[in-house]
Amino acid sequence: MGDNVKEVRVGLAGYGTVGKSVVTVLARNADVIARRSGIHLLVTHVGARRGAPDLAEQGIKVSQDVFEVARDPEVDVCIELMGGVTTARDWIEIALANGKPVVTANKALIAEAGSPLIAQARQVGVPLLFEAAVAGGIPILKALREGLSANQIEWVAGIINGTANYILTEMASGRTFSDVLLEAQAAGYAEADPTFDIEGIDAAHKLTILASMSFGVPLSYRDVYVEGITALQSEDLEYAHRLGYRVKHVALARQSEAGIEMRVHPTLIPCDALLANVNGVMNAVMVQGDAVGSSLYYGAGAGGMATASSVVADVIEVARHSGLAIEQTVPPLAFQDAKPIQMVSIDAVCSAFYLRFQVRDKPAVLAHITEMLGEDGVSIDAAIQKPVHEQTDLVSIVLLTQAVTEAVINRVIARIEALPEIGAPVTKLRVLSL
Ligand code: HSE
């Protein structure tokens, strides 16, 4: 390495799947990183609550008290990879208070408590970056912060939870939900608490960050409408496919004259659409900008090495910008300020719907349902009727409606569910329209 390569000492807390991969990438790619950036990133101190004998053998300082890393005067950049919000937040606050730039992959922390941390970092005059928090290895935040900065963003939509996408992909080939979830956990894709993946919470955290960066609004996790994938039945995936759609767990934030809608839920997507063909643990994010039109970012959304790719890119950005005044760097949320805007409630959102009714097999049931939909101004685009189910004695009727508001469809569903011929709650899924 040349003489003019600067050395930057890296401290890290959390030595799990991602932490180990960060250490691997920094060691394996040290030369290429130095050639690109003129910086030699050297891991000097790792906080690992359960210890890390492999690192100690390499001469890297290891502390079971993770806070020692945040306070270490011999660390130039701190990386938080512990996850969770309580200790991680305290750790970042201490690192910032000690004047250290911080990189984190912690989407829950940034989405739910990011604003005060970003304010503290700005006040101290150091960067706080979190590329790995959204869509694993895809540099989507970099795209929003820099590559798309000439645009007014109209919407951002994506498949941003690898575990949920993996489960839905496997369920589409007939496998059961629980079986596939176990596999995703074993592969290290799922969150420590996998309900975050399957109930849509993880995707909502990521969407909160995407929306803030797209529209220049404050981080507002509580305003995201969230549905997970636990209520989905394999037969809905099958009926959707027969109608020409795939079912994906989609996160969408859109700005209109009415304000901003943010929602995360299972969605029917036409089979030939790009997002419908994002499978397994892969993620994809589409962004519609007024100048660029739509652009698509695709890649591994989870997994140690993919996430480490984003973490290390942030560390390189921090190291490159050291010495610059914070005002001269790209803001962590892409805007110099965050202006609150009216949030659009889910009731006012307009979509086409997939509806599955389980009915007792009596004459004129279908006519009765379509009549009630018609009374509320809901038009039908397509219909499927299945033979009687042997165990339940019920017939499934599947309808695709034209676009109506959520308030209208909920009202008519409630009226239909009160009919004596209806034998189970109606399944309702939205159809993606961008
Ligand atoms: N549990 C997350 C996922 C990991 O499955 O997408 C990456 O954020």
Side-chain angles (χ1 to χ4, degrees), residues 375-406:
E375 282 164 12
D376 265 309
V378 183
S379 305
I380 312 291
D381 254 359
I384 303 178
Q385 179 164 348
K386 288 284 283 178
V388 174
H389 190 284
E390 280 172 17
Q391 272 124 40
T392 61
D393 220 16
L394 297 171
V395 176
S396 271
I397 294 175
V398 175
L399 300 180
L400 273 190
T401 75
Q402 290 188 357
V404 285
T405 64
E406 194 92 17

mmCIF file of all heavy atoms in Angstrom, residues 375-406:
data_model
loop_
_atom_site.group_PDB
_atom_site.id
_atom_site.type_symbol
_atom_site.label_atom_id
_atom_site.label_comp_id
_atom_site.label_asym_id
_atom_site.label_seq_id
_atom_site.Cartn_x
_atom_site.Cartn_y
_atom_site.Cartn_z
ATOM 1 N N GLU A 375 -74.344 -1.981 -5.295
ATOM 2 C CA GLU A 375 -75.052 -0.913 -4.556
ATOM 3 C C GLU A 375 -74.078 0.116 -3.985
ATOM 4 O O GLU A 375 -74.404 1.271 -3.809
ATOM 5 C CB GLU A 375 -75.844 -1.537 -3.399
ATOM 6 C CG GLU A 375 -77.132 -2.191 -3.852
ATOM 7 C CD GLU A 375 -77.701 -3.127 -2.770
ATOM 8 O OE1 GLU A 375 -77.224 -3.078 -1.605
ATOM 9 O OE2 GLU A 375 -78.595 -3.913 -3.119
ATOM 10 N N ASP A 376 -72.853 -0.345 -3.700
ATOM 11 C CA ASP A 376 -71.850 0.589 -3.175
ATOM 12 C C ASP A 376 -70.924 1.099 -4.279
ATOM 13 O O ASP A 376 -69.854 1.657 -3.994
ATOM 14 C CB ASP A 376 -71.026 -0.082 -2.065
ATOM 15 C CG ASP A 376 -71.593 0.230 -0.690
ATOM 16 O OD1 ASP A 376 -71.805 1.419 -0.399
ATOM 17 O OD2 ASP A 376 -71.837 -0.720 0.072
ATOM 18 N N GLY A 377 -71.314 0.840 -5.529
ATOM 19 C CA GLY A 377 -70.527 1.366 -6.658
ATOM 20 C C GLY A 377 -69.244 0.596 -6.927
ATOM 21 O O GLY A 377 -68.316 1.120 -7.531
ATOM 22 N N VAL A 378 -69.173 -0.686 -6.487
ATOM 23 C CA VAL A 378 -67.957 -1.478 -6.713
ATOM 24 C C VAL A 378 -68.165 -2.375 -7.930
ATOM 25 O O VAL A 378 -69.054 -3.235 -7.929
ATOM 26 C CB VAL A 378 -67.621 -2.356 -5.477
ATOM 27 C CG1 VAL A 378 -66.329 -3.120 -5.704
ATOM 28 C CG2 VAL A 378 -67.554 -1.513 -4.217
ATOM 29 N N SER A 379 -67.354 -2.170 -8.991
ATOM 30 C CA SER A 379 -67.489 -2.980 -10.210
ATOM 31 C C SER A 379 -66.557 -4.180 -10.151
ATOM 32 O O SER A 379 -65.477 -4.113 -9.558
ATOM 33 C CB SER A 379 -67.115 -2.161 -11.444
ATOM 34 O OG SER A 379 -67.883 -0.999 -11.475
ATOM 35 N N ILE A 380 -66.982 -5.263 -10.802
ATOM 36 C CA ILE A 380 -66.190 -6.508 -10.797
ATOM 37 C C ILE A 380 -65.411 -6.619 -12.109
ATOM 38 O O ILE A 380 -65.959 -6.392 -13.174
ATOM 39 C CB ILE A 380 -67.127 -7.741 -10.717
ATOM 40 C CG1 ILE A 380 -68.166 -7.583 -9.621
ATOM 41 C CG2 ILE A 380 -66.341 -9.031 -10.588
ATOM 42 C CD1 ILE A 380 -67.648 -7.633 -8.247
ATOM 43 N N ASP A 381 -64.142 -7.012 -11.986
ATOM 44 C CA ASP A 381 -63.299 -7.195 -13.177
ATOM 45 C C ASP A 381 -63.153 -8.657 -13.570
ATOM 46 O O ASP A 381 -62.985 -8.981 -14.729
ATOM 47 C CB ASP A 381 -61.894 -6.646 -12.882
ATOM 48 C CG ASP A 381 -61.647 -5.340 -13.584
ATOM 49 O OD1 ASP A 381 -62.557 -4.886 -14.307
ATOM 50 O OD2 ASP A 381 -60.558 -4.770 -13.397
ATOM 51 N N ALA A 382 -63.146 -9.560 -12.575
ATOM 52 C CA ALA A 382 -62.953 -10.988 -12.868
ATOM 53 C C ALA A 382 -63.516 -11.808 -11.711
ATOM 54 O O ALA A 382 -63.652 -11.303 -10.590
ATOM 55 C CB ALA A 382 -61.461 -11.294 -13.023
ATOM 56 N N ALA A 383 -63.882 -13.058 -12.013
ATOM 57 C CA ALA A 383 -64.450 -13.922 -10.959
ATOM 58 C C ALA A 383 -64.014 -15.365 -11.174
ATOM 59 O O ALA A 383 -63.798 -15.807 -12.300
ATOM 60 C CB ALA A 383 -65.971 -13.840 -10.989
ATOM 61 N N ILE A 384 -63.839 -16.096 -10.051
ATOM 62 C CA ILE A 384 -63.581 -17.540 -10.099
ATOM 63 C C ILE A 384 -64.491 -18.177 -9.052
ATOM 64 O O ILE A 384 -64.619 -17.650 -7.943
ATOM 65 C CB ILE A 384 -62.130 -17.905 -9.673
ATOM 66 C CG1 ILE A 384 -61.084 -17.202 -10.502
ATOM 67 C CG2 ILE A 384 -61.908 -19.395 -9.695
ATOM 68 C CD1 ILE A 384 -59.640 -17.528 -10.044
ATOM 69 N N GLN A 385 -65.110 -19.307 -9.397
ATOM 70 C CA GLN A 385 -65.857 -20.046 -8.363
ATOM 71 C C GLN A 385 -65.313 -21.466 -8.296
ATOM 72 O O GLN A 385 -65.090 -22.103 -9.325
ATOM 73 C CB GLN A 385 -67.354 -20.066 -8.681
ATOM 74 C CG GLN A 385 -68.106 -20.857 -7.625
ATOM 75 C CD GLN A 385 -69.612 -20.616 -7.636
ATOM 76 O OE1 GLN A 385 -70.088 -19.703 -8.289
ATOM 77 N NE2 GLN A 385 -70.335 -21.438 -6.909
ATOM 78 N N LYS A 386 -65.059 -21.951 -7.067
ATOM 79 C CA LYS A 386 -64.489 -23.290 -6.877
ATOM 80 C C LYS A 386 -65.558 -24.237 -6.366
ATOM 81 O O LYS A 386 -66.500 -23.818 -5.697
ATOM 82 C CB LYS A 386 -63.379 -23.227 -5.815
ATOM 83 C CG LYS A 386 -62.116 -22.556 -6.272
ATOM 84 C CD LYS A 386 -61.292 -23.420 -7.177
ATOM 85 C CE LYS A 386 -60.527 -24.506 -6.423
ATOM 86 N NZ LYS A 386 -59.773 -25.371 -7.311
ATOM 87 N N PRO A 387 -65.404 -25.545 -6.640
ATOM 88 C CA PRO A 387 -66.368 -26.516 -6.120
ATOM 89 C C PRO A 387 -66.388 -26.540 -4.590
ATOM 90 O O PRO A 387 -65.461 -26.039 -3.947
ATOM 91 C CB PRO A 387 -65.853 -27.854 -6.653
ATOM 92 C CG PRO A 387 -64.797 -27.542 -7.623
ATOM 93 C CD PRO A 387 -64.339 -26.153 -7.405
ATOM 94 N N VAL A 388 -67.399 -27.187 -4.009
ATOM 95 C CA VAL A 388 -67.545 -27.250 -2.550
ATOM 96 C C VAL A 388 -66.308 -27.893 -1.918
ATOM 97 O O VAL A 388 -65.812 -28.911 -2.390
ATOM 98 C CB VAL A 388 -68.789 -28.090 -2.175
ATOM 99 C CG1 VAL A 388 -68.876 -28.279 -0.660
ATOM 100 C CG2 VAL A 388 -70.043 -27.430 -2.691
ATOM 101 N N HIS A 389 -65.803 -27.272 -0.842
ATOM 102 C CA HIS A 389 -64.667 -27.811 -0.091
ATOM 103 C C HIS A 389 -65.187 -28.942 0.795
ATOM 104 O O HIS A 389 -66.148 -28.756 1.545
ATOM 105 C CB HIS A 389 -64.068 -26.680 0.758
ATOM 106 C CG HIS A 389 -62.766 -27.034 1.373
ATOM 107 N ND1 HIS A 389 -62.661 -27.860 2.459
ATOM 108 C CD2 HIS A 389 -61.500 -26.668 1.049
ATOM 109 C CE1 HIS A 389 -61.391 -27.989 2.788
ATOM 110 N NE2 HIS A 389 -60.665 -27.276 1.934
ATOM 111 N N GLU A 390 -64.550 -30.118 0.706
ATOM 112 C CA GLU A 390 -65.096 -31.305 1.392
ATOM 113 C C GLU A 390 -65.209 -31.126 2.908
ATOM 114 O O GLU A 390 -66.197 -31.514 3.512
ATOM 115 C CB GLU A 390 -64.213 -32.517 1.110
ATOM 116 C CG GLU A 390 -64.490 -33.119 -0.252
ATOM 117 C CD GLU A 390 -63.491 -34.194 -0.609
ATOM 118 O OE1 GLU A 390 -62.803 -34.698 0.297
ATOM 119 O OE2 GLU A 390 -63.396 -34.508 -1.814
ATOM 120 N N GLN A 391 -64.164 -30.505 3.521
ATOM 121 C CA GLN A 391 -64.202 -30.399 4.990
ATOM 122 C C GLN A 391 -65.113 -29.289 5.503
ATOM 123 O O GLN A 391 -65.801 -29.446 6.499
ATOM 124 C CB GLN A 391 -62.793 -30.158 5.536
ATOM 125 C CG GLN A 391 -62.035 -31.436 5.813
ATOM 126 C CD GLN A 391 -60.704 -31.468 5.073
ATOM 127 O OE1 GLN A 391 -60.008 -30.471 4.989
ATOM 128 N NE2 GLN A 391 -60.379 -32.621 4.501
ATOM 129 N N THR A 392 -65.130 -28.159 4.796
ATOM 130 C CA THR A 392 -65.880 -27.021 5.338
ATOM 131 C C THR A 392 -67.291 -26.933 4.776
ATOM 132 O O THR A 392 -68.120 -26.194 5.292
ATOM 133 C CB THR A 392 -65.174 -25.700 5.004
ATOM 134 O OG1 THR A 392 -65.124 -25.573 3.580
ATOM 135 C CG2 THR A 392 -63.782 -25.640 5.579
ATOM 136 N N ASP A 393 -67.572 -27.664 3.680
ATOM 137 C CA ASP A 393 -68.881 -27.584 3.038
ATOM 138 C C ASP A 393 -69.134 -26.199 2.443
ATOM 139 O O ASP A 393 -70.285 -25.806 2.250
ATOM 140 C CB ASP A 393 -69.958 -27.913 4.082
ATOM 141 C CG ASP A 393 -71.044 -28.770 3.480
ATOM 142 O OD1 ASP A 393 -70.796 -29.320 2.402
ATOM 143 O OD2 ASP A 393 -72.129 -28.850 4.071
ATOM 144 N N LEU A 394 -68.058 -25.430 2.252
ATOM 145 C CA LEU A 394 -68.217 -24.075 1.730
ATOM 146 C C LEU A 394 -67.613 -23.978 0.325
ATOM 147 O O LEU A 394 -66.696 -24.723 -0.015
ATOM 148 C CB LEU A 394 -67.516 -23.061 2.647
ATOM 149 C CG LEU A 394 -68.060 -22.949 4.080
ATOM 150 C CD1 LEU A 394 -67.139 -22.081 4.933
ATOM 151 C CD2 LEU A 394 -69.475 -22.387 4.095
ATOM 152 N N VAL A 395 -68.125 -23.043 -0.455
ATOM 153 C CA VAL A 395 -67.611 -22.789 -1.800
ATOM 154 C C VAL A 395 -66.810 -21.488 -1.743
ATOM 155 O O VAL A 395 -67.252 -20.525 -1.126
ATOM 156 C CB VAL A 395 -68.788 -22.580 -2.784
ATOM 157 C CG1 VAL A 395 -68.289 -22.205 -4.168
ATOM 158 C CG2 VAL A 395 -69.667 -23.803 -2.834
ATOM 159 N N SER A 396 -65.635 -21.472 -2.381
ATOM 160 C CA SER A 396 -64.885 -20.208 -2.458
ATOM 161 C C SER A 396 -65.265 -19.460 -3.728
ATOM 162 O O SER A 396 -65.245 -20.032 -4.825
ATOM 163 C CB SER A 396 -63.386 -20.479 -2.495
ATOM 164 O OG SER A 396 -62.865 -20.540 -1.197
ATOM 165 N N ILE A 397 -65.620 -18.204 -3.571
ATOM 166 C CA ILE A 397 -65.855 -17.324 -4.724
ATOM 167 C C ILE A 397 -64.812 -16.221 -4.660
ATOM 168 O O ILE A 397 -64.683 -15.547 -3.634
ATOM 169 C CB ILE A 397 -67.268 -16.706 -4.676
ATOM 170 C CG1 ILE A 397 -68.330 -17.786 -4.841
ATOM 171 C CG2 ILE A 397 -67.416 -15.617 -5.737
ATOM 172 C CD1 ILE A 397 -69.750 -17.275 -4.679
ATOM 173 N N VAL A 398 -64.055 -16.061 -5.741
ATOM 174 C CA VAL A 398 -63.008 -15.029 -5.758
ATOM 175 C C VAL A 398 -63.394 -13.958 -6.772
ATOM 176 O O VAL A 398 -63.744 -14.268 -7.910
ATOM 177 C CB VAL A 398 -61.649 -15.656 -6.152
ATOM 178 C CG1 VAL A 398 -60.577 -14.580 -6.289
ATOM 179 C CG2 VAL A 398 -61.229 -16.692 -5.118
ATOM 180 N N LEU A 399 -63.356 -12.711 -6.342
ATOM 181 C CA LEU A 399 -63.682 -11.595 -7.237
ATOM 182 C C LEU A 399 -62.521 -10.610 -7.260
ATOM 183 O O LEU A 399 -61.873 -10.382 -6.239
ATOM 184 C CB LEU A 399 -64.924 -10.852 -6.745
ATOM 185 C CG LEU A 399 -66.225 -11.639 -6.640
ATOM 186 C CD1 LEU A 399 -67.337 -10.726 -6.125
ATOM 187 C CD2 LEU A 399 -66.631 -12.216 -7.988
ATOM 188 N N LEU A 400 -62.274 -10.031 -8.432
ATOM 189 C CA LEU A 400 -61.351 -8.893 -8.527
ATOM 190 C C LEU A 400 -62.200 -7.664 -8.823
ATOM 191 O O LEU A 400 -62.993 -7.672 -9.765
ATOM 192 C CB LEU A 400 -60.389 -9.075 -9.695
ATOM 193 C CG LEU A 400 -59.109 -9.847 -9.493
ATOM 194 C CD1 LEU A 400 -58.221 -9.687 -10.725
ATOM 195 C CD2 LEU A 400 -58.340 -9.387 -8.258
ATOM 196 N N THR A 401 -62.049 -6.636 -7.992
ATOM 197 C CA THR A 401 -62.866 -5.433 -8.190
ATOM 198 C C THR A 401 -62.067 -4.369 -8.938
ATOM 199 O O THR A 401 -60.848 -4.455 -9.045
ATOM 200 C CB THR A 401 -63.290 -4.827 -6.838
ATOM 201 O OG1 THR A 401 -62.168 -4.158 -6.263
ATOM 202 C CG2 THR A 401 -63.837 -5.864 -5.885
ATOM 203 N N GLN A 402 -62.773 -3.354 -9.384
ATOM 204 C CA GLN A 402 -62.073 -2.163 -9.880
ATOM 205 C C GLN A 402 -61.709 -1.292 -8.673
ATOM 206 O O GLN A 402 -62.113 -1.599 -7.554
ATOM 207 C CB GLN A 402 -62.959 -1.430 -10.881
ATOM 208 C CG GLN A 402 -63.088 -2.240 -12.161
ATOM 209 C CD GLN A 402 -63.786 -1.498 -13.279
ATOM 210 O OE1 GLN A 402 -64.243 -0.371 -13.105
ATOM 211 N NE2 GLN A 402 -63.884 -2.150 -14.415
ATOM 212 N N ALA A 403 -60.981 -0.227 -8.915
ATOM 213 C CA ALA A 403 -60.464 0.565 -7.793
ATOM 214 C C ALA A 403 -61.580 1.306 -7.048
ATOM 215 O O ALA A 403 -62.440 1.936 -7.666
ATOM 216 C CB ALA A 403 -59.432 1.560 -8.306
ATOM 217 N N VAL A 404 -61.547 1.181 -5.732
ATOM 218 C CA VAL A 404 -62.438 1.945 -4.840
ATOM 219 C C VAL A 404 -61.636 2.284 -3.580
ATOM 220 O O VAL A 404 -60.564 1.726 -3.356
ATOM 221 C CB VAL A 404 -63.691 1.141 -4.393
ATOM 222 C CG1 VAL A 404 -64.692 1.020 -5.488
ATOM 223 C CG2 VAL A 404 -63.317 -0.207 -3.813
ATOM 224 N N THR A 405 -62.199 3.141 -2.751
ATOM 225 C CA THR A 405 -61.456 3.448 -1.525
ATOM 226 C C THR A 405 -61.622 2.306 -0.530
ATOM 227 O O THR A 405 -62.588 1.545 -0.564
ATOM 228 C CB THR A 405 -61.938 4.753 -0.843
ATOM 229 O OG1 THR A 405 -63.263 4.568 -0.443
ATOM 230 C CG2 THR A 405 -61.773 5.952 -1.731
ATOM 231 N N GLU A 406 -60.668 2.273 0.376
ATOM 232 C CA GLU A 406 -60.663 1.273 1.437
ATOM 233 C C GLU A 406 -61.932 1.406 2.303
ATOM 234 O O GLU A 406 -62.519 0.415 2.715
ATOM 235 C CB GLU A 406 -59.418 1.521 2.292
ATOM 236 C CG GLU A 406 -59.062 0.440 3.213
ATOM 237 C CD GLU A 406 -58.084 -0.589 2.660
ATOM 238 O OE1 GLU A 406 -57.405 -0.350 1.657
ATOM 239 O OE2 GLU A 406 -58.013 -1.659 3.268
#
